[in-house]
Structures are given as C-alpha cells and as structure tokens.
C-alpha cells in the first residue's frame, strides 16, 4: 500500500476507535427519546413514571402530600431531563400548583457537547434567579417575610411564603443538588438537579403547605 494511503487508513482507524470508546464510556441516558424523536418537545407521561414525587407523610399526624394530577417531560440534546407534575389546586389565583424537577446528565458523548447551549433547568439560586422564579410562579403575590431554610431527606432547601389576600396562602420551595447529594439516590444519578415546588391553597396555612416538600422523593 502507498505510504500516504497507509497513514490515512491508520488515522481513520484511530478516529473510529475513539468514537466507539466515547459511545461505550458515555452511554446515552435517553435511548428511547433518541429513537422516538421526543428530544426538544414536551411529552405527557404517567405521574407514576416521574423521577420526582411527594411521598406519603411519615407520620399519621402530618399533612397529606398532594397526589399529582398529570405529568410531562422535556428532554434536550445536551442531556437534560425536565419533568413537571401538576398538583391539585382549589384556588382561582394566577399560576399553577406544580412540582418541577430538572436533571442534568450531560450530553451522551464529548463530541455532542455544546458549551453555548443554554441549560433549561435551574441549578443555582442566586438572588436574581430567585426573583425571576418568584415572578414566574407567584405572579402578583404578596411575599410574607424573607426566604427561610428547611431540610428534607436530600439536604437543605429554601422556601418563601406568600399571600393572595382574601384568596389563598402559598409557598414556593426550591432545592439545588449536586453529584455528592445525588449519589445516595443510586448509580444512575445525574450530575446535578434543580427542583421547585409551588403550592397555593384557599384553606391551608403555609406551614401545612411546605410540609409536602419535606417528603420529596427522587427515583433515578
């Protein structure tokens, strides 16, 4: 074989080996989505298939966690899975009662990484991000005091109480988890996760509403 052709063949073989190796060591976390074409659009799912839930309270005296009425998920080419669970709502105030969880697994291989692709989930909660979240999930609500800190089975989380005077009491909770926090969940844990819960109720008090986030459960 011509020496030049020999070098080209050798380089091609090395490239193929690297691509094969990348696929083996970085498995696609969404093989079904890749086949079905569900990447980049919201898809309805059964609430029981969601990777996040509000578990039953540990004590009979604790308020019951609301069961999800519906669920949907959104997958991105950069390895994110976002799931939204719709929770019961007995109010007419703006916004929806929901539990939102974003899981960042990263792209399927290093060759698919896009450093310029904006992340969909909220994986940090600095003041500017929190203000945007409050504006989106509690539009025109009256905040009741400063954000508070509380703890569930995955660590510390923040929450704020709010009021729609004469209509409903509300809570907005958020939690940011990294790999160290998530490794306790299982071997298939994502690199990081961002979770938010918004619940408003015409009869319950904030202390009762926030108790649901204490029972947060991840199934990864």
């Amino acid at each position: 074989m011509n020496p030049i052709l020999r070098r080209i063949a050798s380089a091609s073989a090395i490239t193929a080996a690297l691509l094969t190796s990348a696929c083996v060591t970085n498995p696609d976390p969404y093989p079904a989505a890749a086949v079905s074409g569900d990447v980049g659009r919201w898809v309805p799912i059964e609430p029981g298939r969601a990777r996040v839930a509000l578990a039953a309270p540990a004590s009979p005296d604790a308020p019951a966690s609301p069961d999800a009425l519906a669920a949907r998920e959104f997958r991105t080419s950069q390895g994110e899975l976002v799931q939204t669970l719709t929770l019961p709502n007995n109010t007419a105030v703006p916004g929806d009662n929901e539990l939102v969880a974003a899981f960042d697994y990263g792209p399927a291989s290093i060759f698919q990484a896009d450093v310029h692709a904006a992340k969909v989930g909220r994986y940090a909660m600095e003041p500017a991000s929190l203000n945007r979240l409050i504006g989106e999930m509690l539009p025109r609500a009256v905040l009741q005091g400063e954000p508070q800190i509380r703890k569930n089975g995955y660590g510390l989380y923040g929450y704020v109480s709010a009021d729609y005077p004469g209509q409903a009491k509300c809570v907005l909770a958020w939690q940011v988890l990294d790999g160290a926090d998530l490794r306790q969940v299982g071997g298939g844990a994502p690199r990081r996760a961002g979770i938010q819960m918004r619940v408003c109720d015409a009869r319950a008090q904030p202390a009762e509403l926030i108790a649901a986030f204490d029972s947060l459960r991840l199934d990864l």
Side-chain angles (χ1 to χ4, degrees), residues 148-171:
Q148 304 295 312
I149 300 295
R150 199 171 165 107
K151 188 175 183 180
N152 61 18
Y154 301 100
L156 298 177
Y157 70 86
Y159 77 97
V160 65
S161 301
D163 189 15
Y164 287 94
Q167 299 181 72
K169 305 287 187 182
C170 307
V171 295

Side-chain angles (χ1 to χ4, degrees), residues 102-195:
F103 306 102
D104 184 9
Y105 291 88
S109 85
I110 59 173
F111 299 104
Q112 295 178 354
D114 183 354
V115 296
H116 302 293
K119 293 295 183 181
V120 177
R122 289 181 167 94
Y123 306 110
M125 201 56 71
E126 68 276 5
S129 296
L130 178 56
N131 288 336
R132 285 194 296 271
L133 180 66
I134 292 172
E136 291 172 14
M137 302 189 81
L138 292 170
R140 300 188 299 280
V142 180
L143 297 185
Q144 303 297 307
E146 296 295 321
Q148 304 295 312
I149 300 295
R150 199 171 165 107
K151 188 175 183 180
N152 61 18
Y154 301 100
L156 298 177
Y157 70 86
Y159 77 97
V160 65
S161 301
D163 189 15
Y164 287 94
Q167 299 181 72
K169 305 287 187 182
C170 307
V171 295
L172 173 62
W174 59 91
Q175 189 165 27
V176 175
L177 303 171
D178 61 20
D181 300 319
L182 293 163
R183 274 193 285 274
Q184 61 177 298
V185 182
R191 300 174 181 177
R192 54 185 178 167
I195 306 162

Side-chain angles (χ1 to χ4, degrees), residues 20-31:
T20 303
S21 173
C23 291
V24 170
T25 57
N26 296 279
D28 184 353
Y30 314 128

